[in-house]
C-alpha cells in the first residue's frame, strides 16, 4: 500500500501515469458497455 501511495502522490509522473491508466480503463468499460447495449437493443434483422 505504501508503494501505491508513493507512486500516486510522490511525483507528477506517477500521478499522471495512474490517471492515464484509469482513464483508459474507464473508456474501455464505457465503450464495451455501449457496444453490448447497442447489440442487445438492436432490432432483429428479420
Amino acid at each position: 500500500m505504501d508503494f501505491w501511495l508513493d507512486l500516486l502522490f510522490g511525483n507528477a509522473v506517477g500521478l499522471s501515469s495512474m490517471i492515464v491508466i484509469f482513464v483508459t480503463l474507464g473508456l474501455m468499460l464505457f465503450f464495451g458497455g455501449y457496444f453490448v447495449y447497442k447489440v442487445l437493443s438492436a432490432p432483429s434483422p428479420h
Side-chain angles (χ1 to χ4, degrees), residues 1-38:
M1 191 67 186
D2 291 335
F3 170 73
W4 289 106
L5 288 175
D6 184 46
L7 187 64
L8 279 173
F9 304 111
N11 53 11
V13 176
L15 180 61
S16 61
S17 65
M18 295 302 285
I19 288 172
V20 168
I21 290 170
F22 287 130
V23 167
T24 304
L25 288 174
L27 284 172
M28 287 171 54
L29 286 172
F30 172 74
F31 284 116
Y34 184 71
F35 176 75
V36 169
Y37 167 74
K38 292 296 280 187

